[in-house]
Amino acid sequence: MRTPSDLDRSATAADTATIAAANLLSAAARSGIPCAPVRDLIGAGDVAAAYAVQERLTAERITAGATIVGRKIGLTSAAVQRQLGVDQPDFGVLFDDMHYNQSTPVPLSRLLQPKVEAEIAFVLAQDLADGPLDDEQVRNAVDYAVAALEIVDSRIACWDITFGDTVADNASSGLFVLGSQRRALDAFDPVSAQMQMSIDGIGVSSGTGAACLGDPLRALAWLASTTREFGQPLRAGQIVLSGALGPMAAIVAPGTVTADITGLGSVTAAFIQE
């Protein structure tokens, strides 16, 4: 992983735009004040530029002491892909300080514009660095699945994002919470999972595993292939968030979010105002 200083020394005109976009997003994260979209700096659909910004922000986080614990997959819904005019998912990085236990309330002050979505998390028992990365290999690499809540967030004001904006902004990542029931894939079928999510007991989202690229394991296979192409393959022990099983819901006030996923039980996150 290149450091921010390494990136600066090799700066070109394109790198200058990358640095400017990264600085804008980094300042928004530090201040808690959302910024303007970065697409005017790097281009709305320039995938390479967007991931270059994400890589720079990742390097900054690592330099500051954060540890990568996995990846998240985004834009797995066909409807959302159509909305942003893209035909592919994206991915972001999960850091250790993004993980909240169910027993630990999430302070709203930690977030800017939070929304929550229910997902399946896969924890890997094997690297996905070599081989064909076919269905059998990917499935066999999973240690277990667990219910998850991803708290997505955007450093860009009013969620005014294109594909380039969200990729640059670490796939609009925020925090995540994992459930307690672990299931091996021989005891759980991700594609047929049914999901119900509520806020303070009021239903806000529902969906199925099939809503995630047709099969959450297909999303995992896409991620394994894509991260390997980027030279950052998935490793044993890492957590992978599959992508949403249903629509996301905004968190606008303190409250408790609970998602129930058949075969995986429930996962809960309590949001508090400090």
Side-chain angles (χ1 to χ4, degrees):
M1 178 68 68
R2 291 179 291 172
T3 67
S5 58
D6 291 334
L7 294 171
D8 286 338
R9 282 193 291 270
S10 60
T12 64
D15 291 328
T16 300
T18 297
I19 293 168
N23 288 344
L24 196 64
L25 292 167
S26 184
R30 290 194 306 270
S31 68
I33 301 173
C35 63
V38 298
R39 55 182 174 267
D40 290 339
L41 294 169
I42 62 170
D46 190 331
V47 176
Y51 277 113
V53 176
Q54 184 185 124
E55 180 185 2
R56 182 177 181 84
L57 292 171
T58 296
E60 289 179 359
R61 292 290 308 277
I62 292 171
T63 299
T67 299
I68 294 174
V69 297
R71 299 288 192 279
K72 62 153 287 184
I73 311 170
L75 300 178
T76 55
S77 161
V80 175
Q81 288 185 9
R82 287 193 297 270
Q83 183 182 23
L84 292 181
V86 299
D87 59 0
Q88 61 181 309
D90 68 349
F91 73 87
V93 178
L94 300 179
F95 296 99
D96 54 344
D97 63 355
M98 294 167 60
H99 181 202
Y100 270 73
N101 293 320
Q102 292 188 93
S103 59
T104 303
V106 179
L108 288 172
S109 59
R110 176 82 191 267
L111 301 156
L112 281 73
Q113 307 171 97
K115 300 182 180 184
V116 64
E117 52 193 33
E119 307 192 6
I120 296 169
F122 298 109
V123 178
L124 301 181
Q126 301 173 21
D127 292 350
L128 285 171
D130 302 307
L133 301 182
D134 57 15
D135 291 348
E136 181 179 8
Q137 181 185 1
V138 169
R139 185 180 184 90
N140 289 339
V142 175
D143 188 6
Y144 61 87
V146 62
L149 291 173
E150 184 186 359
I151 300 133
V152 293
D153 202 3
S154 181
R155 271 52 63 179
I156 295 170
C158 302
W159 281 87
D160 179 15
I161 59 173
T162 62
F163 186 72
D165 292 306
T166 188
V167 169
D169 190 22
N170 198 26
S172 302
S173 63
L175 308 171
F176 66 96
V177 180
L178 302 181
S180 59
Q181 295 189 35
R182 300 177 178 183
R183 294 286 183 271
L185 293 185
D186 59 4
F188 169 71
D189 179 22
V191 73
S192 63
Q194 302 287 318
M195 179 276 294
Q196 298 287 332
M197 187 172 72
S198 64
I199 299 178
D200 293 334
I202 299 173
V204 294
S205 180
S206 63
T208 71
C212 180
L213 282 188
D215 184 341
L217 287 172
R218 185 179 304 161
L220 175 58
W222 172 87
L223 179 67
S225 176
T226 304
T227 54
R228 185 170 70 176
E229 290 174 4
F230 274 78
Q232 302 167 22
L234 300 177
R235 297 296 184 183
Q238 288 188 333
I239 302 162
V240 175
L241 298 182
S242 68
L245 306 188
M248 57 188 176
I251 302 297
V252 297
T256 300
V257 178
T258 300
D260 295 291
I261 300 176
T262 54
L264 295 179
S266 65
V267 56
T268 297
F271 293 86
I272 60 171
Q273 192 78 60
E274 290 188 331

